[in-house]
Amino acid sequence: MKNPHLLLIRFSALGDVAMTVPVIRCLYKTYPNIKITFVSRPHVAPLFQEFQKFNFFPTDFEGRHKGLKGVWTLFQELKTIPFTAVADLHSVLRTYLLGFLFSAYGYKFRTFDKGRSEKKALTRRKNKKFQPLIPTVYRYADVFRKLGFPISLEYHEFPEKRELPQSLLFLYQVNDKKWIGIAPFAAHSGKMYPLDLMQQVINFLQKDHLIFLFGAGVTEKQRLEVWEKAYKNVYSTAGKINFKDQLNLMSYLDLMISMDSANGHLAANAGIKVLTIWGMTHPFCGFLPFQQPLDHALTLNRNKYPHVPTSVYGNIIPPDYENAFRSLDPKTVIEKTLEMLN
């Protein structure tokens, strides 16, 4: 096909959308003439700022794309785009409906395999099959193979550093400390390192390093501002720089400390070392940030907590596991951070 145009669909969540970026880079490298239209929620658009021949199509699930009627409206709007094939990178009811419509109208449509049965076997309590599953980025890549566009993630290349936000230029020019990003929050408490323990980590690391805190929403912003005011070398990005500038800042970090959450993927996409901290989830579920070795992940001791991982999302905390995350000592996090920085 001389000038293929692929329609990619992935509506949420931020981390899962972020994991499409390395795959798209490989698509462009392997097929320089390819054009892509990416369908997703408006707030994720800055993730794709580096790409040319790229069209971002924002959804409106609170308005014209809401409900079954909205799916039909979305289909009619997408049908006006001169694409040649559709890649469903989400695999949910809404995309299944779109797939049915696209297929009925003769479009080539392929969806990705989430590995639901494998993940169920990995997270169940009885007869748990504790083994690493196929990483999500490889599952994404397999969709394009099915469409006739095989790629190899081994040939992936990271982009150049992005433009540093103007408000932070003074730090880059006058400070020779190493920069550490810390994203202490996650969607579920089972994935979030206790904040009092994280404060101990921040307190120690900020003595010799610059710490940039990442978060979103009013509650997270307030917590990060407390830490910012308490420590000399701590800066909160929440509410101060927009999402695009946060992504640009990440490309200047020496290390990102993240939960099993979106910020780990965002930093990994910039080619930054990422230390991930895992509670009720585990890297074996397939969500380790791109090109980060397993050695860059701190997990709970499964001899003490054999039910881990308890779920893919970290939303299930078994009885007697409420304090499991506290078994991971702040000293361990600090020592691993210093090891990865050196």
Side-chain angles (χ1 to χ4, degrees):
M1 194 176 297
K2 188 174 181 181
N3 293 302
H5 186 164
L6 299 184
L7 185 71
L8 277 53
I9 303 174
R10 176 78 214 197
F11 299 137
S12 62
L14 178 57
D16 294 283
V17 178
M19 283 187 282
T20 68
V21 171
V23 181
I24 293 173
R25 287 173 182 159
C26 293
L27 273 171
Y28 277 123
K29 184 175 181 181
T30 308
Y31 307 99
N33 295 326
I34 204 169
K35 183 174 181 180
I36 291 173
T37 293
F38 199 100
V39 187
S40 193
R41 297 176 186 266
H43 70 279
V44 305
L47 289 174
F48 308 103
Q49 58 184 301
E50 67 191 77
F51 298 124
Q52 306 296 321
K53 293 186 294 183
F54 188 93
N55 174 45
F56 184 83
F57 187 99
T59 57
D60 180 17
F61 293 131
E62 303 303 317
R64 71 183 192 277
H65 299 146
K66 185 177 182 179
L68 287 175
K69 183 180 178 182
V71 172
W72 174 255
T73 301
L74 179 58
F75 168 70
Q76 291 293 336
E77 293 174 0
L78 294 175
K79 198 155 60 77
T80 65
I81 300 171
F83 59 84
T84 51
V86 186
D88 171 15
L89 303 178
H90 203 162
S91 190
V92 292
L93 179 58
R94 187 180 268 130
T95 60
Y96 293 158
L97 292 173
L98 285 172
F100 173 79
L101 294 170
F102 282 124
S103 298
Y105 277 74
Y107 292 98
K108 191 173 184 179
F109 181 93
R110 297 292 184 272
T111 190
F112 97 115
D113 177 12
K114 282 188 172 182
R116 287 184 173 90
S117 61
E118 302 156 51
K119 289 174 181 174
K120 184 177 180 180
L122 175 61
T123 57
R124 66 194 179 198
R125 296 186 64 170
K126 295 182 179 180
N127 300 316
K128 182 187 291 288
K129 291 186 178 180
F130 186 69
Q131 58 188 14
L133 305 185
I134 298 172
T136 298
V137 289
Y138 287 95
R139 294 182 184 273
Y140 286 157
D142 195 53
V143 180
F144 298 106
R145 179 191 62 79
K146 294 174 184 176
L147 287 172
F149 298 92
I151 58 174
S152 173
L153 294 176
E154 295 179 2
Y155 300 116
H156 173 274
E157 293 180 357
F158 290 103
E160 298 294 326
K161 288 184 183 293
R162 298 157 181 161
E163 183 178 356
L164 192 69
Q166 290 292 319
S167 60
L168 298 178
L169 277 176
F170 75 98
L171 291 173
Y172 189 67
Q173 294 167 347
V174 304
N175 206 302
D176 59 356
K177 298 179 184 292
K178 288 190 175 181
W179 291 17
I180 301 173
I182 297 181
F185 300 103
H188 300 286
S189 60
K191 294 203 297 184
M192 198 165 77
Y193 194 53
L195 293 179
D196 61 313
L197 301 187
M198 181 57 78
Q199 183 167 345
Q200 294 181 41
V201 173
I202 292 171
N203 178 33
F204 183 91
L205 293 176
Q206 64 86 31
K207 295 174 184 178
D208 297 310
H209 307 87
L210 280 183
I211 308 296
F212 293 92
L213 303 176
F214 295 84
V218 175
T219 302
E220 294 183 9
K221 178 176 178 291
Q222 291 173 345
R223 165 63 72 169
L224 298 184
E225 286 176 346
V226 169
W227 287 341
E228 180 183 49
K229 292 175 182 177
Y231 303 110
K232 177 182 177 182
N233 292 319
V234 174
Y235 299 85
S236 172
T237 66
K240 295 182 179 179
I241 59 176
N242 60 32
F243 182 43
K244 178 180 177 180
D245 284 342
Q246 288 185 20
L247 293 174
N248 293 355
L249 169 61
M250 285 183 189
S251 67
Y252 288 83
L253 298 177
D254 295 287
L255 176 73
M256 170 66 88
I257 301 174
S258 174
M259 306 302 101
D260 169 21
S261 61
N263 282 287
H265 300 294
L266 300 178
N269 285 350
I272 303 305
K273 287 183 181 179
V274 181
L275 170 58
T276 44
I277 304 176
W278 305 70
M280 296 300 107
T281 57
H282 193 278
F284 279 12
C285 292
F287 298 103
L288 195 67
F290 184 66
Q291 287 195 358
Q292 301 294 319
L294 189 59
D295 185 52
H296 288 183
L298 292 176
T299 60
L300 299 185
N301 185 336
R302 293 193 66 256
N303 290 326
K304 292 178 64 176
Y305 302 103
H307 298 319
V308 172
T310 63
S311 73
V312 172
Y313 304 106
N315 58 334
I316 298 176
I317 303 178
D320 300 325
Y321 277 53
E322 293 86 352
N323 294 314
F325 229 150
R326 292 188 172 277
S327 66
L328 184 59
D329 194 281
K331 182 182 177 183
T332 302
V333 180
I334 292 168
E335 290 176 345
K336 189 63 182 180
T337 299
L338 298 178
E339 173 193 323
M340 289 175 62
L341 282 173
N342 294 327

